[in-house]
Short mmCIF file of all heavy atoms in Angstrom, two decimals:
data_model
loop_
_atom_site.label_atom_id
_atom_site.label_comp_id
_atom_site.label_asym_id
_atom_site.label_seq_id
_atom_site.Cartn_x
_atom_site.Cartn_y
_atom_site.Cartn_z
N ASN A 19 97.25 66.24 136.80
CA ASN A 19 97.13 64.81 137.10
C ASN A 19 95.75 64.37 136.61
O ASN A 19 94.82 64.27 137.40
CB ASN A 19 97.30 64.56 138.60
CG ASN A 19 97.22 63.10 138.96
OD1 ASN A 19 97.27 62.23 138.09
ND2 ASN A 19 97.08 62.82 140.23
N GLY A 20 95.65 64.12 135.30
CA GLY A 20 94.36 63.75 134.73
C GLY A 20 93.34 64.85 134.96
O GLY A 20 93.60 66.02 134.68
N THR A 21 92.18 64.50 135.52
CA THR A 21 91.13 65.48 135.80
C THR A 21 91.04 65.80 137.30
O THR A 21 90.03 66.33 137.76
CB THR A 21 89.77 64.98 135.29
OG1 THR A 21 89.46 63.75 135.95
CG2 THR A 21 89.77 64.79 133.79
N THR A 22 92.09 65.52 138.04
CA THR A 22 92.12 65.78 139.48
C THR A 22 92.52 67.23 139.74
O THR A 22 93.44 67.74 139.09
CB THR A 22 93.13 64.84 140.17
OG1 THR A 22 92.76 63.50 139.89
CG2 THR A 22 93.18 65.06 141.66
N TYR A 23 91.85 67.88 140.69
CA TYR A 23 92.27 69.22 141.12
C TYR A 23 93.61 69.08 141.83
O TYR A 23 93.75 68.32 142.78
CB TYR A 23 91.23 69.83 142.06
CG TYR A 23 91.60 71.21 142.58
CD1 TYR A 23 91.58 72.31 141.73
CD2 TYR A 23 91.96 71.40 143.91
CE1 TYR A 23 91.91 73.57 142.20
CE2 TYR A 23 92.29 72.67 144.38
CZ TYR A 23 92.27 73.74 143.52
OH TYR A 23 92.59 74.99 143.98
N VAL A 24 94.62 69.77 141.33
CA VAL A 24 95.97 69.73 141.90
C VAL A 24 96.24 71.09 142.53
O VAL A 24 95.99 72.12 141.91
CB VAL A 24 97.03 69.43 140.81
CG1 VAL A 24 98.43 69.47 141.38
CG2 VAL A 24 96.75 68.10 140.14
N SER A 25 96.75 71.08 143.77
CA SER A 25 96.97 72.36 144.44
C SER A 25 98.18 72.30 145.36
O SER A 25 98.71 71.23 145.67
CB SER A 25 95.73 72.74 145.25
OG SER A 25 95.51 71.83 146.31
N ASP A 26 98.58 73.47 145.80
CA ASP A 26 99.67 73.61 146.76
C ASP A 26 99.50 74.95 147.45
O ASP A 26 98.81 75.84 146.95
CB ASP A 26 101.02 73.55 146.03
CG ASP A 26 102.20 73.34 146.98
OD1 ASP A 26 101.97 72.95 148.14
OD2 ASP A 26 103.35 73.57 146.56
N ASP A 27 100.14 75.08 148.60
CA ASP A 27 100.13 76.34 149.33
C ASP A 27 101.55 76.87 149.42
O ASP A 27 102.48 76.13 149.76
CB ASP A 27 99.58 76.15 150.75
CG ASP A 27 98.09 75.82 150.75
OD1 ASP A 27 97.37 76.35 149.89
OD2 ASP A 27 97.66 75.04 151.61
N ILE A 28 101.73 78.14 149.10
CA ILE A 28 103.01 78.80 149.28
C ILE A 28 102.98 79.42 150.67
O ILE A 28 102.16 80.30 150.95
CB ILE A 28 103.24 79.89 148.22
CG1 ILE A 28 103.21 79.29 146.81
CG2 ILE A 28 104.55 80.62 148.48
CD1 ILE A 28 103.22 80.34 145.70
N ASP A 29 103.84 78.95 151.55
CA ASP A 29 103.88 79.43 152.92
C ASP A 29 104.49 80.83 152.95
O ASP A 29 105.63 81.03 152.53
CB ASP A 29 104.71 78.47 153.78
CG ASP A 29 104.79 78.88 155.24
OD1 ASP A 29 104.13 79.86 155.64
OD2 ASP A 29 105.52 78.20 155.99
N ILE A 30 103.71 81.81 153.42
CA ILE A 30 104.20 83.18 153.51
C ILE A 30 104.29 83.65 154.96
O ILE A 30 104.48 84.83 155.22
CB ILE A 30 103.33 84.15 152.68
CG1 ILE A 30 101.88 84.13 153.16
CG2 ILE A 30 103.43 83.82 151.19
CD1 ILE A 30 100.99 85.18 152.51
N SER A 31 104.19 82.72 155.90
CA SER A 31 104.16 83.08 157.32
C SER A 31 105.43 83.79 157.78
O SER A 31 105.39 84.57 158.72
CB SER A 31 103.88 81.86 158.18
OG SER A 31 104.90 80.89 158.03
N ALA A 32 106.55 83.55 157.12
CA ALA A 32 107.79 84.23 157.49
C ALA A 32 107.75 85.72 157.16
O ALA A 32 108.54 86.50 157.72
CB ALA A 32 108.97 83.57 156.79
N TYR A 33 106.85 86.13 156.28
CA TYR A 33 106.77 87.52 155.85
C TYR A 33 105.61 88.28 156.48
O TYR A 33 105.50 89.49 156.30
CB TYR A 33 106.60 87.60 154.32
CG TYR A 33 107.58 86.76 153.56
CD1 TYR A 33 107.18 85.61 152.90
CD2 TYR A 33 108.92 87.10 153.51
CE1 TYR A 33 108.08 84.82 152.19
CE2 TYR A 33 109.84 86.32 152.81
CZ TYR A 33 109.41 85.19 152.16
OH TYR A 33 110.30 84.42 151.47
N THR A 34 104.71 87.56 157.16
CA THR A 34 103.47 88.19 157.62
C THR A 34 103.22 87.96 159.11
O THR A 34 103.77 87.04 159.71
CB THR A 34 102.26 87.63 156.85
OG1 THR A 34 102.13 86.24 157.14
CG2 THR A 34 102.40 87.83 155.36
N ASP A 35 102.38 88.81 159.66
CA ASP A 35 101.84 88.67 161.01
C ASP A 35 100.46 89.33 160.97
O ASP A 35 100.31 90.47 161.40
CB ASP A 35 102.75 89.33 162.04
CG ASP A 35 102.32 89.06 163.47
OD1 ASP A 35 101.24 88.45 163.67
OD2 ASP A 35 103.05 89.47 164.39
N PRO A 36 99.46 88.63 160.39
CA PRO A 36 98.14 89.25 160.19
C PRO A 36 97.52 89.81 161.48
O PRO A 36 96.86 90.85 161.44
CB PRO A 36 97.29 88.10 159.63
CG PRO A 36 98.27 87.18 158.99
CD PRO A 36 99.51 87.28 159.84
N ALA A 37 97.76 89.19 162.61
CA ALA A 37 97.19 89.67 163.87
C ALA A 37 97.72 91.05 164.24
O ALA A 37 97.03 91.82 164.93
CB ALA A 37 97.49 88.68 164.99
N ARG A 38 98.91 91.40 163.77
CA ARG A 38 99.50 92.70 164.06
C ARG A 38 99.44 93.64 162.85
O ARG A 38 100.11 94.69 162.83
CB ARG A 38 100.93 92.53 164.53
CG ARG A 38 101.00 91.89 165.91
CD ARG A 38 102.43 91.89 166.44
NE ARG A 38 102.50 91.51 167.83
CZ ARG A 38 102.38 90.26 168.29
NH1 ARG A 38 102.14 89.28 167.45
NH2 ARG A 38 102.50 90.01 169.57
N GLY A 39 98.73 93.25 161.82
CA GLY A 39 98.55 94.11 160.66
C GLY A 39 99.62 93.99 159.58
O GLY A 39 99.57 94.69 158.59
N ARG A 40 100.61 93.11 159.74
CA ARG A 40 101.64 92.92 158.71
C ARG A 40 101.14 91.86 157.73
O ARG A 40 100.90 90.72 158.12
CB ARG A 40 102.96 92.48 159.33
CG ARG A 40 103.95 92.04 158.32
CD ARG A 40 105.18 92.83 157.97
NE ARG A 40 105.61 93.97 158.68
CZ ARG A 40 105.79 95.16 158.08
NH1 ARG A 40 105.50 95.32 156.81
NH2 ARG A 40 106.26 96.16 158.75
N VAL A 41 100.91 92.29 156.49
CA VAL A 41 100.35 91.41 155.47
C VAL A 41 101.22 91.41 154.23
O VAL A 41 102.08 92.27 154.06
CB VAL A 41 98.90 91.83 155.09
CG1 VAL A 41 97.96 91.69 156.26
CG2 VAL A 41 98.89 93.25 154.54
N LEU A 42 100.98 90.45 153.37
CA LEU A 42 101.64 90.39 152.08
C LEU A 42 100.68 90.98 151.05
O LEU A 42 99.47 90.70 151.08
CB LEU A 42 101.96 88.93 151.72
CG LEU A 42 102.91 88.75 150.55
CD1 LEU A 42 104.35 88.99 151.02
CD2 LEU A 42 102.80 87.35 150.01
N VAL A 43 101.20 91.78 150.15
CA VAL A 43 100.42 92.34 149.06
C VAL A 43 100.95 91.79 147.75
O VAL A 43 102.15 91.88 147.47
CB VAL A 43 100.50 93.89 149.06
CG1 VAL A 43 99.70 94.47 147.89
CG2 VAL A 43 100.01 94.46 150.38
N VAL A 44 100.06 91.19 146.97
CA VAL A 44 100.44 90.67 145.65
C VAL A 44 100.22 91.80 144.64
O VAL A 44 99.09 92.26 144.45
CB VAL A 44 99.61 89.43 145.26
CG1 VAL A 44 100.01 88.93 143.88
CG2 VAL A 44 99.78 88.33 146.30
N ASP A 45 101.31 92.25 144.04
CA ASP A 45 101.23 93.33 143.05
C ASP A 45 100.95 92.81 141.65
O ASP A 45 100.21 93.43 140.89
CB ASP A 45 102.54 94.13 143.04
CG ASP A 45 102.80 94.82 144.37
OD1 ASP A 45 101.91 95.51 144.86
OD2 ASP A 45 103.91 94.63 144.91
N LYS A 46 101.54 91.68 141.31
CA LYS A 46 101.37 91.09 139.99
C LYS A 46 101.38 89.58 140.10
O LYS A 46 102.05 89.03 140.97
CB LYS A 46 102.48 91.52 139.03
CG LYS A 46 102.50 93.00 138.74
CD LYS A 46 103.64 93.34 137.81
CE LYS A 46 103.70 94.86 137.63
NZ LYS A 46 104.91 95.26 136.92
N ALA A 47 100.65 88.92 139.21
CA ALA A 47 100.64 87.46 139.16
C ALA A 47 100.87 87.03 137.71
O ALA A 47 100.30 87.61 136.79
CB ALA A 47 99.31 86.91 139.66
N PHE A 48 101.71 86.02 137.56
CA PHE A 48 102.00 85.48 136.24
C PHE A 48 101.77 83.97 136.28
O PHE A 48 102.18 83.31 137.23
CB PHE A 48 103.46 85.75 135.84
CG PHE A 48 103.85 87.20 135.91
CD1 PHE A 48 104.41 87.74 137.06
CD2 PHE A 48 103.63 88.04 134.83
CE1 PHE A 48 104.76 89.07 137.14
CE2 PHE A 48 103.98 89.39 134.89
CZ PHE A 48 104.54 89.90 136.05
N MET A 49 101.12 83.44 135.26
CA MET A 49 100.91 82.00 135.15
C MET A 49 101.29 81.57 133.74
O MET A 49 100.93 82.23 132.77
CB MET A 49 99.44 81.65 135.43
CG MET A 49 99.01 82.00 136.83
SD MET A 49 97.26 81.64 137.06
CE MET A 49 96.89 82.72 138.44
N SER A 50 102.04 80.46 133.66
CA SER A 50 102.45 79.96 132.35
C SER A 50 102.12 78.48 132.25
O SER A 50 102.12 77.77 133.25
CB SER A 50 103.96 80.18 132.15
OG SER A 50 104.68 79.38 133.07
N TYR A 51 101.83 78.05 131.05
CA TYR A 51 101.47 76.66 130.77
C TYR A 51 102.52 76.06 129.84
O TYR A 51 102.82 76.62 128.79
CB TYR A 51 100.10 76.59 130.07
CG TYR A 51 98.95 77.10 130.91
CD1 TYR A 51 98.68 78.46 131.01
CD2 TYR A 51 98.14 76.21 131.60
CE1 TYR A 51 97.61 78.92 131.77
CE2 TYR A 51 97.07 76.66 132.36
CZ TYR A 51 96.81 78.01 132.44
OH TYR A 51 95.76 78.46 133.21
N THR A 52 103.10 74.91 130.25
CA THR A 52 104.11 74.22 129.44
C THR A 52 103.87 72.72 129.54
O THR A 52 103.08 72.25 130.37
CB THR A 52 105.54 74.52 129.93
OG1 THR A 52 105.70 74.03 131.26
CG2 THR A 52 105.84 76.02 129.88
N THR A 53 104.59 71.96 128.72
CA THR A 53 104.53 70.50 128.85
C THR A 53 105.21 70.11 130.15
O THR A 53 105.96 70.90 130.73
CB THR A 53 105.25 69.78 127.69
OG1 THR A 53 106.65 70.06 127.80
CG2 THR A 53 104.74 70.22 126.35
N ASP A 54 104.99 68.89 130.60
CA ASP A 54 105.66 68.46 131.83
C ASP A 54 107.16 68.30 131.63
O ASP A 54 107.89 68.14 132.59
CB ASP A 54 105.02 67.19 132.40
CG ASP A 54 105.06 66.01 131.46
OD1 ASP A 54 105.47 66.17 130.29
OD2 ASP A 54 104.67 64.92 131.90
N ALA A 55 107.62 68.40 130.39
CA ALA A 55 109.06 68.40 130.11
C ALA A 55 109.61 69.82 130.10
O ALA A 55 110.81 70.03 129.96
CB ALA A 55 109.34 67.73 128.77
N GLY A 56 108.72 70.82 130.23
CA GLY A 56 109.17 72.20 130.33
C GLY A 56 109.09 73.02 129.07
O GLY A 56 109.28 74.22 129.11
N GLY A 57 108.82 72.42 127.94
CA GLY A 57 108.75 73.16 126.69
C GLY A 57 107.34 73.63 126.39
O GLY A 57 106.42 73.45 127.19
N PRO A 58 107.15 74.23 125.23
CA PRO A 58 105.81 74.68 124.85
C PRO A 58 104.87 73.50 124.61
O PRO A 58 105.31 72.39 124.33
CB PRO A 58 106.03 75.47 123.56
CG PRO A 58 107.32 74.97 123.02
CD PRO A 58 108.14 74.52 124.20
N ILE A 59 103.59 73.76 124.73
CA ILE A 59 102.59 72.72 124.48
C ILE A 59 102.64 72.33 123.01
O ILE A 59 102.70 73.18 122.13
CB ILE A 59 101.19 73.22 124.90
CG1 ILE A 59 101.18 73.37 126.43
CG2 ILE A 59 100.10 72.30 124.41
CD1 ILE A 59 99.93 74.00 126.98
N ILE A 60 102.63 71.02 122.77
CA ILE A 60 102.73 70.49 121.41
C ILE A 60 101.52 69.60 121.13
O ILE A 60 100.81 69.20 122.06
CB ILE A 60 104.04 69.71 121.20
CG1 ILE A 60 104.16 68.58 122.23
CG2 ILE A 60 105.25 70.65 121.29
CD1 ILE A 60 105.38 67.69 122.06
N PRO A 61 101.24 69.30 119.86
CA PRO A 61 100.05 68.51 119.52
C PRO A 61 99.93 67.20 120.30
O PRO A 61 98.83 66.82 120.71
CB PRO A 61 100.21 68.26 118.02
CG PRO A 61 100.96 69.46 117.53
CD PRO A 61 101.93 69.78 118.64
#
Side-chain angles (χ1 to χ4, degrees):
N19 182 12
T21 59
T22 302
Y23 179 71
V24 177
S25 66
D26 194 15
D27 292 325
I28 301 172
D29 181 5
I30 59 173
S31 62
Y33 311 109
T34 64
D35 187 354
R38 291 187 170 76
R40 169 109 9 237
V41 296
L42 193 78
V43 178
V44 179
D45 297 309
K46 296 179 185 171
F48 305 92
M49 297 177 202
S50 66
Y51 296 82
T52 63
T53 67
D54 59 353
I59 292 174
I60 57 177

